[in-house]
Amino acid sequence: MTVRTRFAPSPTGYLHIGGARTALFNWLFARHHNGKFILRIEDTDVARSTKESIQAILDGMEWLGLNWDEGPFYQSQRFDEYRKHANILLEKGVCYKCYCTPEELEARREAALKEGRPPKYDGRCRDRADEPNMPYAVRFKVPPGTTIVDDVIKGSITFDNSSIEDLIIQRSDGTPTYNFCVVIDDVTMDITHVIRGDDHINNTPKQILIYRALGHKLPIFAHLPMILGSDKTRLSKRHGATSVMAYKDMGFLPHALVNYLARLGWSFGDQEIFSLNELIEKFSLESVGKSSGVFNPEKLLWLNQHYIKDTKSEDLGELMLPFLKEHGISAEADPRLPAIITTLKERAKTIKEMADSSVFYFREKIEYDPKAAQKFLLPENIELFNTLLEKMSGVADFTAHSLEAAFNSILEEKGLKLGKLAQPLRVALTGGTVSPGIFEMLEAMGREMAVSRVKDAIDYMKEVAAKA
RNA sequence: GGUCCUAUCGUCUAGAGGCCUAGGACGUGGCCCUCUCAAGGCUAAAACACGGGUUCGAAUCCCGUUAGGACCGCCA
C-alpha cells in the first residue's frame, strides 16, 4: 500500500512556522516512503477564507520546496459530497436533526460556564420525534463507551465517550463542519497517515467515531508537538515573525528554515546539518519527540549562515539582487558580483545583511564614517598612500595574491606592520573600519574603483592638512 | 471548570535499566589564529522538576505531586 499524507491548512492567513513544519513532516514522510503528498485547502468557513490566504500558503510551500503530488483540493467545492454522506448517516440513525438555534446554544453555553458545568451540548434533540419545519443542524450521536486513539508519537490515548459531545457535522445552512469534512476527505483521498499538530488530539476521537459510523478503516495518526514562543506559549505574532515568507524577506535561505524546522521536534542522533536528501532518507515518525519545543531564532540564524557559506556565489548573487534594489542598486549586469559575494559570504548571517554590507562596492562615491576617518585618514598617511597608488597601478594583475606581494614590499621598505596600512586603506575603500580582508576586497572591487578611492582619500587627507 | 498532552543544560536535543563522572548543537565566557569584522580551532560554565515505589542497579519502568501547554464553537 502506498503511503499518502496530506497537508490541510485553512486559508485564513499566511503559512506560518507551525503549519510549515506540519507540511514539512508530511512531505518528508511521503517522500521517504515514496508515497504521495496531497495538498488540501480547508475552506469550509466561507466567511473567513480568502483568496489571498490561499495564494500566500501556496507561495510559502513553493518557496520551501514542498511540492505536492495531488491537489490543491478545495473543500468548498465538495459540499455535495459531504451532504451526501451526512444524509447517509442521518438515514442510518447515527446522526440526528438538531433544531436548537445558535442563539439558544450560546445562551446555554454561557449559563453552563457560569455555573461551572462543562459547556457540553445536552442532547435535547437527540430523541426528538417530530420534524418541525425549521432549519436544523445535523448532529452526530456519540455512542456510549470509550474510544482509543492509537498515536504513533504519543502512544495510546483513551477517551471516555461521555466527555465527547454530540458534534454538529452539518450546519443549518447545509454547509459541513471541520471534523466531518476531514474524515470524508481523508477517506475519499485514501489518506494513510494523518500527521498534524497535537492541538488536534481532542478532535481525534470524534473523527474516529465518524470513521466507524461510515464503516471505514482508520488511518494511522501521528500528532506532532506544538512549536512554542520564547515564553513557552503557542507561537504567535507576539513572538516576532511567524510567516514563512517573512523569513524570505529577512534574507533566509529556504533550506536553512527547512533544516531548522526538521530538527525542531525530530532528531537523528547528534546530527544537526542535513541536506534535503538526507532528511528524506533519515526521517521517521519514530524519532519525533513528544514534547513541545521553543522556536529559537538564534539557531536558525546559525544554520542560515552555514548554508550561505555553502551556497555558490553565483546563486547567492541572484538572491541578493532584490535586497540591493532596496538600496537603489541595480547590480545584475555587474560582472564583479560573484567575486564580491565571495568576500562577503563568510561574514553574513542573512542575505539581507550581505547586501547591506556590500553597498560600498557599488556606489560611485562613498562617505567616510567620521570616527573612522578621524582615526585613520591622517595627513601623515599621504605619502604612504601615494606609494600605495603607485603599486596598485603598477601591479601586473590585480589579484589578491600579487597585491599582497606588492604590499609586503612596501611594508618591508618602511618597516611597518600590515595593520598600519590595512586600516587606513580599509577606511579609504569602504568608508568604515569593518570589511572583508583587504586583499580579497581589492581584487573583488577591481583596480579602477580601488585606485579612484585611494585618490579620493589622498585628496581628503590633503584637505584635512590644509585646515590644520 | 472539564478532557487530553508534556517534563534532560537558557534553547533544540542524544539517551530503549548497567555503556552516564549524562553526550552533541545554538547561544554565552575565555584562549589561539589575525589587516578590521567574521569564519575556524581549542576550552569553560550550564540539565535528568519533586516525592515515593519496582530493581542488585533508574535520566530510563510504575504511581503521585508540581509546573507548563493544547483543546472544550453551527472556527479550522
Side-chain angles (χ1 to χ4, degrees):
Chain A
M1 187 177 67
T2 55
V3 163
R4 293 170 63 84
T5 65
R6 45 61 163 193
F7 176 53
S10 68
T12 52
Y14 45 69
L15 178 65
H16 55 90
I17 291 293
R21 192 190 53 159
T22 303
L24 174 64
F25 281 25
N26 274 284
W27 184 87
L28 285 173
F29 187 77
R31 293 289 170 263
H32 176 86
H33 290 283
N34 249 308
K36 299 285 185 203
F37 174 60
I38 291 136
L39 180 61
R40 180 170 81 221
I41 305 295
E42 308 224 322
D43 55 353
T44 54
D45 186 350
V46 183
R48 292 204 308 153
S49 301
T50 66
K51 265 190 116 83
E52 292 72 34
S53 295
I54 294 172
Q55 195 52 50
I57 289 166
L58 263 35
D59 289 346
M61 301 274 292
E62 192 189 341
W63 182 63
L64 289 173
L66 305 180
N67 58 322
W68 53 93
D69 305 299
E70 293 173 25
F73 298 112
Y74 295 88
Q75 291 188 326
S76 58
Q77 293 171 6
R78 295 166 50 80
F79 280 5
D80 288 346
E81 178 87 6
Y82 308 126
R83 207 159 311 156
K84 191 181 83 191
H85 283 93
N87 284 333
I88 293 173
L89 292 184
L90 222 34
E91 274 164 33
K92 274 191 184 171
V94 294
C95 286
Y96 59 94
K97 296 174 180 176
C98 173
Y99 297 91
C100 302
T101 66
E103 292 73 28
E104 286 167 356
L105 292 168
E106 184 54 33
R108 277 182 237 153
R109 169 182 312 280
E110 270 171 35
L113 245 19
K114 218 162 122 189
E115 291 166 37
R117 286 181 288 117
K120 192 181 144 189
Y121 177 65
D122 59 10
R124 66 176 64 191
C125 293
R126 218 176 212 239
D127 303 307
R128 195 166 173 159
D130 61 334
E131 293 209 352
N133 186 21
M134 284 166 62
Y136 61 87
V138 178
R139 275 190 196 271
F140 185 80
K141 201 182 283 183
V142 172
T146 125
T147 302
I148 295 171
V149 177
D150 218 340
D151 190 276
V152 190
I153 293 169
K154 305 276 184 178
S156 164
I157 309 163
T158 305
F159 291 85
D160 195 322
N161 290 4
S162 65
S163 70
I164 305 169
E165 75 168 352
D166 285 353
L167 62 146
I168 289 174
I169 64 166
Q170 191 176 89
R171 301 181 187 102
S172 46
D173 66 1
T175 59
T177 62
Y178 168 73
N179 281 111
F180 186 55
C181 300
V182 168
V183 175
I184 300 300
D185 286 340
D186 285 340
V187 164
T188 55
M189 294 174 190
D190 288 319
I191 301 302
T192 58
H193 297 256
V194 171
I195 304 167
R196 77 229 302 190
D198 72 10
D199 48 338
H200 285 287
I201 285 189
N202 289 314
N203 283 324
T204 309
K206 300 177 190 172
Q207 294 171 10
I208 288 178
L209 258 12
I210 297 174
Y211 271 96
R212 295 232 177 89
L214 252 18
H216 287 292
K217 190 167 161 274
L218 295 179
I220 289 165
F221 291 102
H223 286 95
L224 269 18
M226 296 276 89
I227 298 178
L228 273 25
S230 48
D231 60 355
K232 306 231 178 179
T233 62
R234 198 184 170 143
L235 192 66
S236 75
K237 282 178 197 163
R238 289 178 296 114
H239 303 104
T242 51
S243 153
V244 164
M245 291 311 262
Y247 285 87
K248 181 188 181 195
D249 295 340
M250 288 187 286
F252 284 85
L253 261 16
H255 186 64
L257 227 206
V258 164
N259 192 149
Y260 177 73
L261 255 18
R263 274 291 284 101
L264 217 191
W266 171 83
S267 62
F268 189 80
D270 284 339
Q271 190 171 345
E272 297 287 350
I273 304 290
F274 298 86
S275 70
L276 208 50
N277 283 336
E278 275 180 301
L279 244 23
I280 291 170
E281 178 195 325
K282 290 171 174 167
F283 184 80
S284 78
L285 290 174
E286 284 68 35
S287 36
V288 172
K290 292 181 179 187
S291 53
S292 47
V294 175
F295 184 80
N296 182 348
E298 299 288 316
K299 189 161 181 184
L300 208 208
L301 232 26
W302 171 73
L303 278 162
N304 202 49
Q305 181 173 39
H306 171 86
Y307 284 113
I308 285 176
K309 280 189 287 182
D310 217 40
T311 303
K312 280 199 300 230
S313 296
E314 284 74 12
D315 300 338
L316 250 17
E318 204 64 35
L319 295 170
M320 198 170 81
L321 292 175
F323 293 97
L324 285 175
K325 276 273 182 313
E326 289 183 17
H327 289 281
I329 294 167
S330 295
E332 46 269 61
D334 195 325
R336 303 172 306 159
L337 194 56
I340 285 171
I341 286 172
T342 302
T343 70
L344 256 20
K345 68 182 190 182
E346 290 271 326
R347 45 205 109 217
K349 285 185 151 63
T350 65
I351 310 277
K352 179 171 163 30
E353 203 180 296
M354 199 166 77
D356 291 346
S357 56
S358 77
V359 168
F360 71 89
Y361 277 117
F362 301 105
R363 296 265 189 246
E364 186 76 23
K365 296 279 179 195
I366 50 164
E367 279 175 27
Y368 300 128
D369 169 60
K371 272 190 175 172
Q374 197 187 3
K375 186 166 179 195
F376 293 107
L377 295 184
L378 306 167
E380 64 193 63
N381 281 329
I382 293 176
E383 192 203 326
L384 180 63
F385 268 47
N386 277 323
T387 317
L388 212 50
L389 205 52
E390 260 174 56
K391 290 280 186 185
M392 277 167 46
S393 312
V395 74
D397 53 340
F398 205 76
T399 62
H401 188 76
S402 9
L403 286 164
E404 187 165 6
F407 278 42
N408 279 336
S409 73
I410 300 178
L411 295 175
E412 216 168 300
E413 228 171 85
K414 311 223 178 228
L416 289 175
K417 284 204 162 189
L418 180 56
K420 288 284 178 199
L421 175 59
Q423 273 314 80
L425 180 56
R426 175 166 283 119
V427 178
L429 257 22
T430 71
T433 53
V434 173
S435 86
I438 207 84
F439 303 114
E440 47 167 340
M441 180 164 63
L442 281 166
E443 177 177 341
M445 179 178 278
R447 186 176 339 230
E448 193 186 346
M449 180 177 275
V451 164
S452 128
R453 290 210 174 152
V454 171
K455 281 181 180 165
D456 288 347
I458 291 171
D459 289 345
Y460 175 87
M461 289 185 285
K462 281 182 178 164
E463 261 175 57
V464 172
K467 274 184 201 160

